[in-house]
């Protein structure tokens, strides 16, 4: 292939990208200075992904035609193929725990605040699909979820406490330098910011200082995303 292609989840408007798992891959690509083109996929466009043997984004087609799905498997592929500027460090034994915490605690807590807002970004079949599938997952209507937002905000604040403690002791989630742990957490914050239109946390929260330090990385990702559409 002459280009690297990332299949990326999109809402009704092309600029509305809101998959935390796709953000993980884009952050890693930007960190490693690897250009890519985004192929946009809506919720009801799953047929676009048939070549990958599974129905979920992200999917990366690398320059040699290698097809990789699942955000963490894509990170592993990028580390193996492009070892410069590493993000996955063998000595980082905390990564399996951090990955589980982000996927099963942080993302779940944030989703309960974001679900009604995500639905508002969708139209037609995508909106119907999202409502049906997510209300089944949540066990209540999106309207009921929205009414419970203050309670879910408190749960999210509590869920983030281990991260506050960690970032009070070190500059990055992964240690002294940004690593895969920073990718996982930052992607979730970008997801929240993109859907809600606001920061996840107030400016005086310790996590916000870390988020501010990552802004050059985020801007680099956004510039590369715009350049290689």
């Amino acid at each position: 292939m002459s280009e690297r292609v990332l299949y990326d989840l999109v809402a009704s408007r092309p600029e509305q990208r809101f998959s935390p798992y796709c953000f993980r891959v884009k952050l890693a690509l930007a960190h490693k200075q690897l250009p890519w083109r985004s192929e946009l996929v809506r919720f009801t466009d799953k047929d676009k992904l048939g070549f990958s043997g599974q129905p979920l984004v992200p999917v990366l087609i690398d320059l040699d035609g290698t097809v990789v799905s699942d955000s963490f498997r894509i990170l592993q592929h990028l580390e193996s193929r492009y070892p410069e500027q590493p993000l996955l460090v063998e000595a980082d034994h905390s990564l399996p725990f951090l990955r589980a915490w982000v996927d099963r605690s942080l993302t779940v807590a944030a989703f309960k605040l974001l679900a009604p807002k995500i639905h508002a970004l969708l139209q037609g079949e995508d909106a119907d699909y999202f409502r049906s599938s997510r209300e089944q997952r949540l066990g209540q209507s999106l309207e009921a979820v929205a009414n419970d937002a203050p309670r879910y905000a408190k749960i999210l604040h509590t869920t983030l406490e281990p991260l506050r403690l960690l970032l009070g002791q070190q500059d990055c989630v992964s240690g002294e330098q940004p690593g895969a742990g920073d990718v996982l957490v930052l992607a979730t914050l970008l997801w929240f910011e993109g859907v809600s239109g606001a920061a996840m946390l107030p400016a005086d929260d310790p996590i916000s200082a870390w988020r501010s330090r990552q802004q050059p990385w985020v801007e680099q990702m956004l510039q590369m995303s715009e350049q290689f559409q």
Side-chain angles (χ1 to χ4, degrees):
M1 293 187 66
S2 60
E3 60 182 356
R4 185 178 292 106
V5 181
L6 174 65
Y7 285 74
D8 190 4
L9 186 64
V10 66
S12 296
R13 299 204 305 269
E15 70 273 15
Q16 294 172 327
R17 316 290 177 84
F18 59 90
S19 166
Y21 306 102
C22 293
F23 275 128
R24 293 176 184 180
V25 178
K26 287 183 281 189
L27 285 167
L29 289 168
H31 179 80
K32 291 177 173 291
Q33 292 291 303
L34 300 173
W36 77 94
R37 176 179 66 83
S38 290
E39 181 70 28
L40 305 185
V41 182
R42 291 183 169 85
F43 279 111
T44 53
D45 285 341
K46 298 297 178 68
D47 57 315
K48 280 189 175 182
L49 303 174
F51 70 91
S52 70
Q54 54 85 59
L56 303 175
V57 294
V59 175
L60 181 73
I61 306 179
D62 211 342
L63 295 180
D64 63 355
T66 300
V67 177
V68 192
S69 58
D70 180 83
S71 61
F72 200 77
R73 287 184 59 236
I74 294 173
L75 292 185
Q76 292 173 316
H77 164 79
L78 294 175
E79 287 298 301
S80 175
R81 179 76 185 276
Y82 309 101
E84 299 82 6
Q85 297 182 305
L87 287 168
L88 287 169
V89 181
E90 291 185 7
D92 186 1
H93 301 298
S94 66
L95 185 57
F97 169 80
L98 183 62
R99 182 184 173 195
W101 176 77
V102 170
D103 286 346
R104 301 179 187 181
S105 296
L106 179 58
T107 301
V108 171
F111 179 72
K112 291 178 179 178
L113 283 170
L114 295 180
K117 299 179 184 295
I118 292 174
H119 183 259
L121 299 176
L122 305 173
Q123 297 177 0
E125 292 181 349
D126 286 334
D128 294 340
Y129 167 81
F130 185 86
R131 175 180 287 277
S132 174
S133 60
R134 272 47 179 187
E135 287 185 344
Q136 183 177 12
R137 180 187 301 179
L138 293 165
Q140 59 184 149
S141 70
L142 293 178
E143 289 75 17
V145 173
N147 288 336
D148 272 346
R151 179 167 67 91
Y152 292 137
K154 291 180 181 179
I155 292 172
L156 177 60
H157 182 83
T158 301
T159 301
L160 286 164
E161 188 58 26
L163 183 61
R164 290 188 186 92
L165 294 173
L166 180 67
L167 291 174
Q169 300 173 9
Q170 56 194 48
D171 289 338
C172 298
V173 177
S174 297
E176 295 182 0
Q177 301 293 328
D182 296 85
V183 170
L184 299 179
V185 175
L186 183 56
T188 303
L189 267 63
L190 292 177
W191 170 51
F192 191 98
E193 293 168 10
V195 172
S196 68
M200 180 185 286
L201 301 161
D204 59 352
D205 190 293
I207 300 172
S208 294
W210 167 83
R211 169 63 182 87
S212 295
R213 293 195 297 273
Q214 311 315 311
Q215 187 57 26
W217 187 4
V218 174
E219 291 176 357
Q220 180 182 31
M221 180 201 72
L222 294 173
Q223 289 171 0
M224 292 182 70
S225 295
E226 293 171 358
Q227 183 178 358
F228 297 106
Q229 294 308 309

